[in-house]
Coordinates of all heavy atoms in Angstrom, one line a residue:
M1 N -2.1 4.0 -7.2 CA -1.7 4.9 -8.4 C -2.6 6.1 -8.3 O -2.1 7.2 -8.5 CB -1.9 4.1 -9.7 CG -1.5 4.8 -10.9 SD 0.3 5.1 -10.8 CE 0.5 6.3 -12.1
T2 N -3.9 6.0 -8.1 CA -4.8 7.1 -8.0 C -4.3 8.1 -6.9 O -4.3 9.3 -7.1 CB -6.2 6.7 -7.8 OG1 -6.6 5.8 -8.8 CG2 -7.2 7.9 -7.8
H3 N -4.0 7.5 -5.8 CA -3.6 8.3 -4.6 C -2.3 9.0 -5.0 O -2.2 10.3 -4.7 CB -3.3 7.3 -3.4 CG -2.7 7.9 -2.3 ND1 -3.4 8.2 -1.1 CD2 -1.4 8.4 -2.0 CE1 -2.6 8.8 -0.2 NE2 -1.4 8.9 -0.7
E4 N -1.3 8.4 -5.5 CA 0.0 9.0 -5.8 C -0.2 10.1 -6.9 O 0.5 11.1 -6.8 CB 1.0 8.0 -6.2 CG 1.3 6.9 -5.1 CD 1.6 7.5 -3.7 OE1 2.1 8.6 -3.6 OE2 1.5 6.7 -2.7
A5 N -1.0 9.8 -7.9 CA -1.2 10.7 -9.0 C -1.9 12.0 -8.4 O -1.6 13.1 -8.9 CB -2.1 10.1 -10.1
A6 N -2.7 11.9 -7.4 CA -3.4 13.0 -6.8 C -2.3 14.0 -6.2 O -2.4 15.2 -6.3 CB -4.3 12.6 -5.7
H7 N -1.2 13.4 -5.7 CA -0.2 14.3 -5.1 C 0.5 15.2 -6.1 O 0.9 16.3 -5.7 CB 0.9 13.4 -4.4 CG 0.5 12.8 -3.1 ND1 -0.3 13.5 -2.2 CD2 0.7 11.6 -2.6 CE1 -0.5 12.7 -1.1 NE2 0.1 11.5 -1.4
I8 N 0.5 14.8 -7.3 CA 1.1 15.6 -8.4 C 0.3 16.9 -8.6 O 0.8 18.0 -8.8 CB 1.1 14.8 -9.7 CG1 2.0 13.6 -9.6 CG2 1.6 15.8 -10.9 CD1 1.9 12.7 -10.8
W9 N -1.1 16.8 -8.4 CA -2.0 17.9 -8.8 C -2.5 18.7 -7.6 O -3.1 19.7 -7.8 CB -3.2 17.3 -9.6 CG -2.8 16.7 -10.8 CD1 -2.7 15.3 -11.0 CD2 -2.3 17.3 -12.0 NE1 -2.2 15.1 -12.3 CE2 -2.0 16.2 -12.9 CE3 -2.1 18.6 -12.4 CZ2 -1.5 16.5 -14.2 CZ3 -1.6 18.8 -13.7 CH2 -1.3 17.8 -14.6
Q10 N -2.2 18.3 -6.4 CA -2.7 19.0 -5.3 C -1.8 20.0 -4.7 O -0.5 19.9 -4.8 CB -3.2 18.0 -4.2 CG -2.1 17.3 -3.4 CD -2.6 16.3 -2.4 OE1 -2.1 15.2 -2.3 NE2 -3.5 16.7 -1.6
W11 N -2.3 21.1 -4.1 CA -1.5 22.1 -3.4 C -1.3 21.7 -1.9 O -2.1 20.9 -1.4 CB -2.2 23.4 -3.5 CG -2.4 23.9 -4.9 CD1 -3.6 24.0 -5.6 CD2 -1.4 24.5 -5.7 NE1 -3.3 24.5 -6.8 CE2 -2.0 24.8 -7.0 CE3 0.0 24.7 -5.6 CZ2 -1.3 25.3 -8.0 CZ3 0.7 25.2 -6.6 CH2 0.1 25.5 -7.8
N12 N -0.3 22.2 -1.3 CA 0.0 21.8 0.1 C 0.0 23.0 1.0 O 0.6 22.9 2.1 CB 1.3 21.0 0.2 CG 2.5 21.9 -0.1 OD1 2.4 23.0 -0.4 ND2 3.7 21.3 0.1
G13 N -0.6 24.1 0.6 CA -0.7 25.2 1.5 C 0.7 25.8 1.8 O 1.0 26.2 2.9
T14 N 1.6 25.7 0.7 CA 3.0 26.1 0.8 C 3.7 25.5 2.1 O 4.4 26.1 2.8 CB 3.2 27.7 0.9 OG1 2.4 28.2 2.0 CG2 2.6 28.3 -0.4
G15 N 3.3 24.2 2.3 CA 3.9 23.5 3.3 C 3.3 23.6 4.7 O 3.7 23.0 5.7
Q16 N 2.2 24.4 4.8 CA 1.6 24.7 6.1 C 0.4 23.7 6.4 O 0.0 23.7 7.6 CB 1.1 26.1 6.1 CG 2.2 27.2 6.0 CD 1.6 28.6 5.7 OE1 0.9 29.1 6.6 NE2 1.8 29.1 4.5
A17 N -0.1 23.1 5.4 CA -1.3 22.2 5.6 C -0.8 20.9 6.4 O 0.3 20.4 6.3 CB -1.9 21.8 4.3
P18 N -1.7 20.4 7.3 CA -1.4 19.2 8.0 C -1.1 18.0 7.0 O -1.8 17.9 6.0 CB -2.7 18.9 8.8 CG -3.4 20.2 8.8 CD -3.1 20.9 7.6
G19 N -0.1 17.2 7.3 CA 0.2 16.1 6.4 C -0.9 15.2 6.2 O -1.2 14.6 5.2
G20 N -1.7 15.0 7.3 CA -2.9 14.1 7.2 C -3.9 14.6 6.3 O -4.6 13.8 5.6
L21 N -4.0 15.9 6.1 CA -5.0 16.5 5.2 C -4.5 16.2 3.7 O -5.3 15.8 2.9 CB -5.2 18.0 5.4 CG -6.1 18.7 4.4 CD1 -7.5 18.1 4.4 CD2 -6.2 20.2 4.7
I22 N -3.2 16.3 3.5 CA -2.7 16.0 2.2 C -2.9 14.6 1.8 O -3.4 14.3 0.7 CB -1.1 16.3 2.2 CG1 -0.8 17.8 2.5 CG2 -0.5 15.9 0.8 CD1 -1.4 18.8 1.6
E23 N -2.7 13.7 2.7 CA -2.9 12.2 2.5 C -4.4 11.9 2.4 O -4.8 11.1 1.6 CB -2.3 11.4 3.6 CG -0.7 11.5 3.7 CD 0.0 11.2 2.4 OE1 -0.6 10.5 1.5 OE2 1.1 11.7 2.2
G24 N -5.2 12.7 3.1 CA -6.6 12.5 3.1 C -7.2 12.9 1.8 O -8.2 12.3 1.2
I25 N -6.8 14.0 1.2 CA -7.3 14.5 -0.1 C -6.9 13.5 -1.2 O -7.7 13.1 -2.0 CB -6.7 15.9 -0.4 CG1 -7.3 16.9 0.5 CG2 -6.9 16.2 -1.9 CD1 -6.7 18.3 0.4
A26 N -5.7 12.9 -1.1 CA -5.3 11.9 -2.1 C -6.2 10.7 -2.0 O -6.6 10.1 -3.0 CB -3.8 11.6 -1.9
N27 N -6.5 10.3 -0.8 CA -7.4 9.1 -0.6 C -8.8 9.4 -0.9 O -9.6 8.6 -1.3 CB -7.2 8.5 0.8 CG -6.3 7.3 0.9 OD1 -5.5 7.2 0.0 ND2 -6.5 6.5 1.9
Y28 N -9.2 10.7 -0.7 CA -10.6 11.1 -1.1 C -10.8 10.9 -2.6 O -11.8 10.4 -3.1 CB -10.8 12.6 -0.8 CG -12.1 13.1 -1.3 CD1 -13.4 12.8 -0.7 CD2 -12.2 13.9 -2.5 CE1 -14.6 13.3 -1.2 CE2 -13.4 14.3 -3.0 CZ -14.6 14.0 -2.3 OH -15.7 14.4 -2.9
L29 N -9.7 11.2 -3.4 CA -9.8 11.0 -4.9 C -9.9 9.5 -5.2 O -10.6 9.1 -6.1 CB -8.7 11.7 -5.6 CG -8.7 13.2 -5.4 CD1 -7.5 13.8 -6.2 CD2 -10.0 13.8 -6.0
R30 N -9.1 8.8 -4.4 CA -9.2 7.3 -4.6 C -10.6 6.8 -4.3 O -11.1 5.9 -5.0 CB -8.1 6.7 -3.7 CG -8.0 5.2 -3.8 CD -6.9 4.6 -2.9 NE -7.2 3.2 -2.6 CZ -6.5 2.4 -1.9 NH1 -5.4 2.9 -1.2 NH2 -6.8 1.2 -1.6
L31 N -11.2 7.3 -3.2 CA -12.5 6.9 -2.8 C -13.5 7.2 -3.9 O -14.3 6.4 -4.3 CB -12.9 7.7 -1.5 CG -14.3 7.6 -1.0 CD1 -14.6 6.1 -0.6 CD2 -14.5 8.5 0.2
K32 N -13.4 8.5 -4.5 CA -14.3 8.9 -5.5 C -14.1 8.1 -6.8 O -15.0 8.0 -7.6 CB -14.2 10.4 -5.8 CG -14.7 11.2 -4.6 CD -16.2 11.2 -4.5 CE -16.6 10.4 -3.2 NZ -18.1 10.3 -3.1
A33 N -12.9 7.6 -7.0 CA -12.6 6.8 -8.2 C -13.1 5.3 -8.0 O -13.0 4.5 -9.0 CB -11.1 6.8 -8.5
G34 N -13.6 5.0 -6.8 CA -14.1 3.7 -6.6 C -13.1 2.7 -6.1 O -13.3 1.5 -6.2
Y35 N -12.0 3.2 -5.6 CA -10.9 2.2 -5.2 C -10.7 2.2 -3.6 O -9.6 1.9 -3.2 CB -9.6 2.6 -5.9 CG -9.6 2.4 -7.4 CD1 -9.4 3.4 -8.2 CD2 -9.9 1.1 -7.9 CE1 -9.4 3.3 -9.6 CE2 -10.0 0.9 -9.3 CZ -9.7 2.0 -10.1 OH -9.8 1.8 -11.5
A36 N -11.7 2.6 -2.9 CA -11.6 2.3 -1.4 C -11.7 0.8 -1.2 O -12.3 0.1 -1.9 CB -12.8 3.0 -0.7
T37 N -11.0 0.4 -0.1 CA -11.1 -1.0 0.2 C -11.9 -1.3 1.4 O -12.2 -0.4 2.2 CB -9.6 -1.6 0.4 OG1 -9.1 -1.0 1.5 CG2 -8.8 -1.4 -0.8
S38 N -12.2 -2.5 1.7 CA -13.2 -2.9 2.7 C -12.6 -2.6 4.1 O -13.4 -2.5 5.1 CB -13.6 -4.4 2.6 OG -12.4 -5.2 2.7
H39 N -11.3 -2.5 4.3 CA -10.7 -2.2 5.6 C -10.7 -0.8 6.0 O -10.3 -0.4 7.1 CB -9.3 -2.9 5.7 CG -8.3 -2.2 4.9 ND1 -7.9 -2.6 3.7 CD2 -7.5 -1.1 5.2 CE1 -7.0 -1.8 3.2 NE2 -6.7 -0.9 4.1
W40 N -11.1 0.1 5.0 CA -11.2 1.6 5.4 C -12.3 1.8 6.4 O -13.3 1.1 6.4 CB -11.6 2.4 4.1 CG -10.4 2.6 3.2 CD1 -9.3 1.9 3.0 CD2 -10.3 3.7 2.3 NE1 -8.5 2.4 2.0 CE2 -9.1 3.6 1.6 CE3 -11.2 4.8 2.0 CZ2 -8.7 4.5 0.6 CZ3 -10.8 5.7 1.0 CH2 -9.5 5.5 0.3
V41 N -12.1 2.8 7.3 CA -13.1 3.1 8.2 C -14.3 3.6 7.5 O -14.3 4.1 6.4 CB -12.6 4.2 9.2 CG1 -11.4 3.7 10.0 CG2 -12.3 5.5 8.5
Q42 N -15.5 3.6 8.2 CA -16.7 4.2 7.7 C -16.7 5.6 8.0 O -15.9 6.1 8.9 CB -17.9 3.4 8.2 CG -18.0 2.0 7.7 CD -18.1 1.9 6.2 OE1 -18.9 2.5 5.6 NE2 -17.2 1.1 5.6
Q43 N -17.6 6.4 7.4 CA -17.7 7.8 7.8 C -17.9 8.0 9.3 O -18.8 7.3 9.8 CB -18.9 8.4 7.0 CG -18.7 9.9 6.7 CD -19.8 10.5 5.8 OE1 -20.9 10.8 6.2 NE2 -19.4 10.7 4.5
G44 N -17.2 8.9 9.9 CA -17.3 9.1 11.3 C -16.3 8.3 12.1 O -16.1 8.5 13.3
G45 N -15.5 7.4 11.4 CA -14.5 6.6 12.1 C -13.3 7.4 12.3 O -13.1 8.5 11.8
G46 N -12.4 6.9 13.2 CA -11.1 7.5 13.4 C -11.2 8.4 14.6 O -12.2 8.6 15.2
D47 N -10.0 9.0 15.0 CA -10.0 9.9 16.2 C -9.9 11.4 15.9 O -10.4 12.2 16.6 CB -8.7 9.5 17.0 CG -8.7 8.1 17.5 OD1 -9.8 7.6 17.9 OD2 -7.6 7.5 17.4
K48 N -9.3 11.7 14.8 CA -9.1 13.2 14.4 C -9.4 13.3 12.9 O -9.0 12.5 12.1 CB -7.7 13.6 14.7 CG -7.2 13.5 16.2 CD -5.7 13.7 16.3 CE -5.3 13.4 17.7 NZ -3.9 13.1 17.8
W49 N -9.9 14.5 12.6 CA -10.2 14.7 11.1 C -9.0 14.7 10.3 O -9.0 14.4 9.1 CB -11.0 16.0 11.0 CG -10.2 17.3 11.2 CD1 -10.2 17.9 12.4 CD2 -9.4 18.0 10.3 NE1 -9.3 19.0 12.3 CE2 -8.9 19.1 11.0 CE3 -9.1 17.8 8.9 CZ2 -8.0 20.0 10.4 CZ3 -8.3 18.7 8.3 CH2 -7.7 19.8 9.0
Y50 N -7.8 15.1 10.9 CA -6.6 15.2 10.2 C -5.7 14.0 10.4 O -4.5 14.1 10.1 CB -5.8 16.5 10.6 CG -5.6 16.6 12.1 CD1 -4.5 16.1 12.7 CD2 -6.5 17.3 12.8 CE1 -4.3 16.2 14.0 CE2 -6.3 17.4 14.2 CZ -5.2 16.9 14.8 OH -5.0 17.0 16.1
Q51 N -6.3 12.9 10.7 CA -5.6 11.7 11.0 C -4.9 11.1 9.7 O -4.0 10.4 9.7 CB -6.5 10.6 11.6 CG -5.9 9.4 12.2 CD -6.9 8.6 13.0 OE1 -7.9 9.1 13.5 NE2 -6.6 7.3 13.1
G52 N -5.5 11.5 8.6 CA -5.0 11.1 7.3 C -5.7 10.0 6.6 O -6.6 9.4 7.2
Y53 N -5.2 9.7 5.4 CA -5.7 8.5 4.6 C -7.2 8.3 4.7 O -7.9 9.2 4.3 CB -4.9 7.3 5.1 CG -3.4 7.5 4.9 CD1 -2.5 7.9 5.9 CD2 -2.8 7.4 3.6 CE1 -1.2 8.2 5.7 CE2 -1.5 7.7 3.3 CZ -0.7 8.0 4.4 OH 0.6 8.3 4.2
D54 N -7.6 7.1 5.1 CA -9.1 6.8 5.0 C -9.9 7.6 5.9 O -11.0 8.1 5.6 CB -9.3 5.3 5.2 CG -8.8 4.8 6.5 OD1 -7.8 5.4 7.0 OD2 -9.3 3.8 7.1
V55 N -9.4 7.9 7.1 CA -10.1 8.7 8.1 C -10.4 10.1 7.5 O -11.6 10.6 7.5 CB -9.4 8.8 9.4 CG1 -10.1 9.8 10.4 CG2 -9.2 7.4 10.1
T56 N -9.4 10.8 7.0 CA -9.6 12.1 6.5 C -10.4 12.1 5.2 O -11.2 13.0 4.9 CB -8.2 12.8 6.3 OG1 -7.6 12.8 7.6 CG2 -8.4 14.2 5.8
A57 N -10.2 11.0 4.4 CA -11.0 10.9 3.2 C -12.5 10.8 3.5 O -13.3 11.4 2.8 CB -10.6 9.6 2.4
R58 N -12.8 10.1 4.5 CA -14.3 10.0 4.9 C -14.8 11.3 5.5 O -15.9 11.7 5.2 CB -14.4 8.9 6.0 CG -14.2 7.5 5.5 CD -15.2 7.0 4.5 NE -15.0 5.6 4.2 CZ -15.6 4.9 3.2 NH1 -16.3 5.6 2.4 NH2 -15.4 3.6 3.1
F59 N -13.9 12.0 6.2 CA -14.3 13.4 6.7 C -14.5 14.3 5.5 O -15.5 15.0 5.5 CB -13.2 13.9 7.6 CG -13.4 15.3 8.0 CD1 -14.5 15.6 8.9 CD2 -12.6 16.4 7.6 CE1 -14.7 17.0 9.3 CE2 -12.8 17.7 8.0 CZ -13.9 18.0 8.8
L60 N -13.7 14.3 4.5 CA -13.8 15.1 3.3 C -15.1 14.7 2.5 O -15.7 15.5 1.9 CB -12.6 15.1 2.5 CG -11.3 15.7 3.1 CD1 -10.1 15.3 2.3 CD2 -11.5 17.2 3.3
E61 N -15.4 13.4 2.5 CA -16.6 12.9 1.9 C -17.8 13.6 2.6 O -18.8 14.0 1.9 CB -16.7 11.4 2.0 CG -17.9 10.8 1.4 CD -18.0 9.3 1.6 OE1 -17.6 8.8 2.6 OE2 -18.4 8.6 0.6
Y62 N -17.8 13.6 3.9 CA -18.9 14.3 4.6 C -19.0 15.8 4.3 O -20.1 16.3 4.0 CB -18.7 14.1 6.1 CG -19.6 15.0 7.0 CD1 -21.0 14.8 7.0 CD2 -19.1 16.1 7.7 CE1 -21.8 15.6 7.7 CE2 -19.9 16.9 8.4 CZ -21.3 16.7 8.4 OH -22.1 17.5 9.1
C63 N -17.8 16.5 4.3 CA -17.8 17.9 3.9 C -18.4 18.1 2.5 O -19.1 19.1 2.3 CB -16.4 18.4 4.0 SG -15.7 18.5 5.7
S64 N -18.0 17.2 1.6 CA -18.5 17.3 0.2 C -20.0 17.1 0.1 O -20.6 17.6 -0.9 CB -17.7 16.4 -0.7 OG -16.4 16.7 -0.7
S65 N -20.5 16.4 1.0 CA -22.0 16.2 1.0 C -22.7 17.5 1.4 O -23.9 17.6 1.1 CB -22.4 15.0 2.0 OG -22.3 15.5 3.3
L66 N -22.0 18.4 2.0 CA -22.6 19.6 2.4 C -22.4 20.7 1.3 O -23.2 21.7 1.3 CB -21.9 20.2 3.7 CG -22.0 19.2 4.9 CD1 -21.2 19.8 6.1 CD2 -23.4 19.0 5.3
R67 N -21.4 20.6 0.5 CA -21.1 21.5 -0.5 C -20.4 20.8 -1.7 O -19.3 20.4 -1.5 CB -20.2 22.6 0.0 CG -19.9 23.7 -1.0 CD -19.0 24.8 -0.4 NE -18.5 25.7 -1.4 CZ -18.8 27.0 -1.3 NH1 -19.5 27.5 -0.4 NH2 -18.4 27.9 -2.3
A68 N -21.1 20.7 -2.8 CA -20.5 20.0 -4.0 C -19.3 20.7 -4.4 O -19.2 22.0 -4.4 CB -21.5 20.0 -5.1
G69 N -18.2 20.0 -4.7 CA -17.0 20.6 -5.2 C -16.1 21.1 -4.0 O -15.1 21.8 -4.3
F70 N -16.5 20.7 -2.8 CA -15.7 21.3 -1.6 C -14.2 21.0 -1.7 O -13.4 21.9 -1.5 CB -16.3 20.7 -0.3 CG -15.4 21.0 0.9 CD1 -15.4 22.2 1.5 CD2 -14.6 20.0 1.4 CE1 -14.6 22.5 2.5 CE2 -13.8 20.2 2.4 CZ -13.8 21.5 3.0
V71 N -13.9 19.8 -2.0 CA -12.4 19.4 -2.0 C -11.7 20.2 -3.1 O -10.5 20.6 -2.8 CB -12.2 17.9 -2.1 CG1 -10.8 17.5 -2.3 CG2 -12.8 17.2 -0.9
A72 N -12.3 20.4 -4.2 CA -11.6 21.2 -5.3 C -11.4 22.6 -4.8 O -10.4 23.2 -5.0 CB -12.4 21.1 -6.6
E73 N -12.4 23.2 -4.2 CA -12.3 24.5 -3.7 C -11.3 24.6 -2.5 O -10.5 25.6 -2.5 CB -13.7 25.0 -3.2 CG -14.7 25.2 -4.3 CD -16.0 25.7 -3.8 OE1 -16.8 24.9 -3.3 OE2 -16.2 27.0 -3.8
L74 N -11.3 23.6 -1.7 CA -10.3 23.6 -0.6 C -8.9 23.6 -1.2 O -8.0 24.3 -0.7 CB -10.6 22.4 0.4 CG -9.6 22.2 1.5 CD1 -9.6 23.4 2.5 CD2 -9.9 20.9 2.2
N75 N -8.7 22.7 -2.1 CA -7.4 22.5 -2.8 C -7.0 23.9 -3.4 O -5.8 24.3 -3.3 CB -7.4 21.4 -3.8 CG -6.1 21.2 -4.5 OD1 -5.1 21.0 -3.8 ND2 -6.1 21.4 -5.8
A76 N -7.9 24.6 -4.0 CA -7.6 25.8 -4.7 C -7.1 26.9 -3.6 O -6.1 27.6 -3.9 CB -8.8 26.4 -5.5
K77 N -7.8 26.9 -2.5 CA -7.4 27.8 -1.4 C -6.0 27.5 -0.9 O -5.3 28.3 -0.4 CB -8.4 27.8 -0.3 CG -9.7 28.4 -0.7 CD -10.8 28.2 0.3 CE -11.0 29.2 1.4 NZ -11.3 30.6 0.9
M78 N -5.6 26.2 -0.9 CA -4.3 25.8 -0.4 C -3.1 26.1 -1.3 O -2.0 25.7 -1.0 CB -4.4 24.2 -0.1 CG -5.3 23.9 1.1 SD -5.7 22.2 1.2 CE -4.1 21.4 1.4
R79 N -3.4 26.8 -2.4 CA -2.3 27.1 -3.3 C -1.4 28.1 -2.7 O -0.1 28.1 -2.9 CB -2.9 27.8 -4.6 CG -1.8 28.1 -5.6 CD -2.4 28.6 -6.9 NE -1.3 28.9 -7.8 CZ -1.6 29.2 -9.1 NH1 -2.8 29.2 -9.6 NH2 -0.5 29.5 -9.9
T80 N -1.9 29.0 -1.9 CA -1.0 30.1 -1.3 C -0.9 30.1 0.2 O -0.3 31.0 0.8 CB -1.7 31.5 -1.7 OG1 -3.0 31.5 -1.2 CG2 -1.6 31.7 -3.2
G81 N -1.3 29.0 0.8 CA -1.2 28.9 2.3 C -2.2 28.0 2.8 O -2.9 27.3 2.1
Y82 N -2.3 28.0 4.2 CA -3.3 27.1 4.8 C -3.8 27.7 6.1 O -3.0 28.3 6.8 CB -2.7 25.7 5.1 CG -3.8 24.8 5.7 CD1 -4.8 24.3 5.0 CD2 -3.8 24.7 7.1 CE1 -5.8 23.6 5.6 CE2 -4.8 24.0 7.7 CZ -5.8 23.4 6.9 OH -6.9 22.8 7.5
S83 N -5.1 27.5 6.3 CA -5.7 27.9 7.6 C -6.9 26.9 7.8 O -7.6 26.6 6.8 CB -6.2 29.3 7.6 OG -7.0 29.6 8.7
N84 N -7.1 26.5 9.0 CA -8.4 25.8 9.3 C -9.6 26.6 9.0 O -10.7 26.0 8.9 CB -8.4 25.3 10.8 CG -7.5 24.1 11.1 OD1 -7.0 23.5 10.2 ND2 -7.3 23.8 12.3
N85 N -9.4 27.9 9.0 CA -10.6 28.8 8.6 C -11.1 28.5 7.2 O -12.3 28.9 6.9 CB -10.2 30.3 8.7 CG -9.9 30.7 10.2 OD1 -10.4 30.0 11.1 ND2 -9.1 31.7 10.3
F86 N -10.4 27.8 6.4 CA -10.9 27.5 5.0 C -12.2 26.7 5.1 O -13.0 26.8 4.3 CB -9.8 26.7 4.2 CG -8.6 27.5 3.8 CD1 -7.5 26.8 3.3 CD2 -8.5 28.9 4.0 CE1 -6.4 27.5 2.9 CE2 -7.4 29.6 3.6 CZ -6.3 28.9 3.1
F87 N -12.3 25.9 6.2 CA -13.5 25.0 6.3 C -14.7 25.9 6.6 O -15.7 25.8 6.1 CB -13.3 24.0 7.4 CG -12.4 22.8 7.0 CD1 -11.0 23.0 7.1 CD2 -12.9 21.7 6.5 CE1 -10.2 21.9 6.7 CE2 -12.1 20.6 6.1 CZ -10.7 20.8 6.2
S88 N -14.5 26.9 7.5 CA -15.6 27.8 7.9 C -15.9 28.7 6.7 O -17.1 29.1 6.5 CB -15.4 28.5 9.2 OG -14.2 29.1 9.2
D89 N -14.9 29.1 6.0 CA -15.1 30.0 4.8 C -16.0 29.3 3.8 O -16.9 29.9 3.2 CB -13.8 30.3 4.1 CG -12.9 31.2 4.9 OD1 -13.3 31.8 5.9 OD2 -11.7 31.2 4.5
L90 N -15.9 28.0 3.6 CA -16.6 27.2 2.6 C -17.9 26.6 3.1 O -18.8 26.5 2.3 CB -15.7 26.1 2.0 CG -14.5 26.6 1.2 CD1 -13.5 25.5 0.9 CD2 -15.0 27.3 -0.1
L91 N -17.9 26.3 4.4 CA -19.0 25.5 4.9 C -19.8 26.2 6.0 O -20.9 25.7 6.4 CB -18.6 24.1 5.4 CG -17.9 23.2 4.3 CD1 -17.3 22.0 4.9 CD2 -19.0 22.9 3.2
G92 N -19.3 27.3 6.5 CA -20.0 28.0 7.5 C -19.9 27.4 8.9 O -20.6 27.9 9.8
K93 N -19.1 26.4 9.1 CA -18.8 25.8 10.4 C -17.4 25.6 10.6 O -16.6 25.3 9.6 CB -19.5 24.4 10.5 CG -21.0 24.5 10.5 CD -21.6 23.1 10.6 CE -23.1 23.1 10.6 NZ -23.7 21.7 10.6
T94 N -16.9 25.7 11.8 CA -15.5 25.4 12.1 C -15.2 23.9 11.8 O -16.1 23.1 11.9 CB -15.1 25.8 13.5 OG1 -15.7 24.8 14.4 CG2 -15.5 27.2 13.9
V95 N -13.9 23.7 11.6 CA -13.5 22.3 11.3 C -13.9 21.4 12.5 O -14.2 20.2 12.4 CB -12.0 22.2 10.9 CG1 -11.1 22.4 12.1 CG2 -11.7 20.9 10.2
D96 N -13.8 21.9 13.7 CA -14.1 21.1 14.9 C -15.6 20.9 15.0 O -16.1 19.8 15.4 CB -13.6 21.8 16.2 CG -12.1 21.7 16.3 OD1 -11.5 20.8 15.8 OD2 -11.5 22.7 16.9
Q97 N -16.4 21.9 14.6 CA -17.9 21.6 14.6 C -18.2 20.6 13.5 O -19.1 19.7 13.7 CB -18.6 22.9 14.2 CG -18.6 24.0 15.3 CD -19.2 25.3 14.8 OE1 -19.0 25.7 13.7 NE2 -20.0 25.9 15.7
L98 N -17.5 20.6 12.4 CA -17.8 19.6 11.3 C -17.4 18.2 11.8 O -18.1 17.3 11.5 CB -17.0 20.0 10.1 CG -17.5 21.2 9.4 CD1 -16.4 21.8 8.4 CD2 -18.8 20.9 8.6
Ligands
ZN101 ZN1 0.2 9.9 -0.1

């Protein structure tokens, strides 16, 4: 429910954002609400940052440890479009460096 409710409030970069990022943001909110389950990967798990769901949620958790409020700021930038440069705009490192 937390995951699906997040979809109501999040921006999708006018359809340009990776689907895995959209699902990862929804699961990041679930994680912060305390509803991650034991089968989720740990931080650093998975193959790609945009893999989605738990993998991307853990990646966003890491990004948020570098800048408080990161996910909210990223979501705000995704109102009018999407670029991987949003990560370097906010954190000073490319998404691949992160
Ligand atoms: Zn979803």
Side-chain angles (χ1 to χ4, degrees):
M1 185 66 194
T2 305
H3 173 105
E4 301 306 340
H7 285 318
I8 296 169
W9 299 104
Q10 69 183 136
W11 298 106
N12 70 353
T14 60
Q16 299 168 64
L21 178 58
I22 302 299
E23 298 303 338
I25 289 173
N27 261 21
Y28 172 79
L29 295 182
R30 182 177 158 184
L31 173 65
K32 291 292 109 182
Y35 296 121
T37 63
S38 58
H39 71 265
W40 280 27
V41 298
Q42 293 302 305
Q43 205 173 80
D47 299 321
K48 300 170 187 159
W49 70 268
Y50 53 87
Q51 197 169 330
Y53 301 98
D54 55 334
V55 172
T56 302
R58 293 294 191 192
F59 175 68
L60 295 170
E61 181 182 39
Y62 168 69
C63 292
S64 297
S65 75
L66 303 175
R67 181 181 174 115
F70 169 78
V71 172
E73 290 181 278
L74 178 64
N75 182 57
K77 289 169 92 58
M78 289 166 62
R79 181 174 182 171
T80 54
Y82 178 78
S83 166
N84 281 349
N85 292 337
F86 290 172
F87 286 85
S88 50
D89 292 347
L90 293 168
L91 298 173
K93 293 181 180 175
T94 69
V95 73
D96 289 328
Q97 288 173 321
L98 291 162

